[in-house]
Amino acid sequence: MRILIVYTTRYGTTKKAVELTKRLFEGRGGDVKVKRTEENPSPANYDLVIMAAPVYRDGPHWDIMEWVEAHKGELEDVPKAFFLVAMHLAGSVFMGKLHGGIAYSQPLIDAFEIPPFYGTLIGGEIDPEKLSYDDRRKMVRFYAVLGEKLEKKSLFKEKDVEAFVRRTLLYYDWFGKHFRKGGLDKVRDFDFMEKVREIEGLMG
Ligand SMILES: Cc1cc2nc3c(=O)[nH]c(=O)nc-3n(C[C@H](O)[C@H](O)[C@H](O)COP(=O)(O)O)c2cc1C
């Protein structure tokens, strides 16, 4: 399977997650190319495209959104999955609205007619000493909103990246491969619970 991983990073956590993702896909027989958004890779001629980006200012980093915008047409024709690297993983309801957590993914869903078939969040890292002056000020505010202080912390776990790769391949097989132009009809009636019952049946 030909896989393209497109990513952006500012402080390197997403890069670390991407490198592990590449190794894990390769371990499962994938032929993997990794490109930064700046290289502006074409998503044509791949079986699967993985988009990876950190969350900044309440959404996927703008570089990945710009890449998506630039390749929208081609991307409708290839199955897509993504992970976002973030600190506010659980998310919350803030003043009556969904905030953070998986809600950070919305722009990556709305950008397409045929959406990514799978996506998730991976825990990020913050080291105040490495942040630029500007980013440090922003992060002080970010944590103030959560009622916390800015301090060094890591939520990054290799097992979350492993789960991402495992589930991406599983769901690709179940329905993801049909998430392309002209293919969605094949999985319109896919029923997740039926699949679970089928697996239960196989397990006896
Ligand atoms: C200026 C700035 C803004 C951020 N905004 C958010 C945010 O809105 N939500 C969140 O969950 N994490 C936020 N983060 C945390 C980053 O997503 C986290 O540090 C991530 O690991 C950065 O990935 P990178 O090293 O690949 O750039 C922010 C970090 C910085 C420095």
Side-chain angles (χ1 to χ4, degrees):
M1 181 169 20
R2 292 157 305 166
I3 304 171
L4 171 68
I5 308 180
V6 186
Y7 80 102
T8 186
T9 186
R10 188 178 288 178
Y11 293 103
T13 306
T14 309
K15 182 169 195 274
K16 181 163 72 175
V18 160
E19 282 165 358
L20 179 56
T21 305
K22 176 181 195 289
R23 286 204 302 280
L24 292 167
F25 274 130
E26 284 173 345
R28 308 271 297 252
D31 170 10
V32 187
K33 290 268 176 309
V34 173
K35 301 276 181 191
R36 284 189 72 127
T37 49
E38 293 93 311
E39 297 175 76
N40 198 22
S42 162
N45 301 318
Y46 289 96
D47 301 304
L48 170 64
V49 169
I50 306 293
M51 299 167 283
V55 168
Y56 280 91
R57 288 202 241 128
D58 274 339
H61 193 287
W62 39 97
D63 283 354
I64 202 78
M65 296 314 299
E66 279 171 22
W67 180 79
V68 163
E69 194 54 43
H71 295 280
K72 231 175 180 164
E74 297 159 282
L75 279 164
E76 299 295 357
D77 211 18
V78 49
K80 305 167 283 293
F82 67 86
F83 65 79
L84 294 175
V85 174
M87 295 309 282
H88 190 29
L89 291 180
S92 53
V93 175
F94 191 63
M95 294 182 66
K97 289 194 183 131
L98 293 181
H99 180 86
I102 203 64
Y104 285 142
S105 315
Q106 200 65 54
L108 270 177
I109 297 168
D110 294 344
F112 303 103
E113 253 171 65
I114 301 173
F117 67 90
Y118 179 60
T120 195
L121 297 188
I122 300 284
E125 297 172 307
I126 277 291
D127 184 350
E129 290 192 0
K130 288 192 185 149
L131 294 178
S132 68
Y133 176 77
D134 227 36
D135 282 353
R136 213 183 134 89
R137 267 190 23 217
K138 285 178 189 148
M139 283 318 272
V140 167
R141 284 203 298 258
F142 173 81
Y143 279 107
V145 171
L146 299 176
E148 290 171 29
K149 275 209 281 212
L150 173 62
E151 57 192 3
K152 184 171 173 171
K153 58 181 105 185
S154 175
L155 303 177
F156 179 81
K157 292 193 193 92
E158 291 199 348
K159 72 170 179 47
D160 292 342
V161 180
E162 287 162 16
F164 169 76
V165 168
R166 188 178 340 108
R167 288 176 192 153
T168 297
L169 290 173
L170 194 62
Y171 302 154
Y172 181 87
D173 200 39
W174 287 358
F175 50 80
K177 59 187 173 231
H178 300 301
F179 268 62
R180 59 167 82 227
K181 224 185 281 165
L184 273 185
D185 273 0
K186 297 199 181 87
V187 281
R188 207 184 11 216
D189 298 326
F190 180 84
D191 181 339
F192 206 80
M193 286 318 292
E194 202 176 293
K195 189 81 192 169
V196 170
R197 283 191 292 272
E198 181 192 317
I199 291 167
E200 276 171 358
L202 288 176
M203 292 190 315

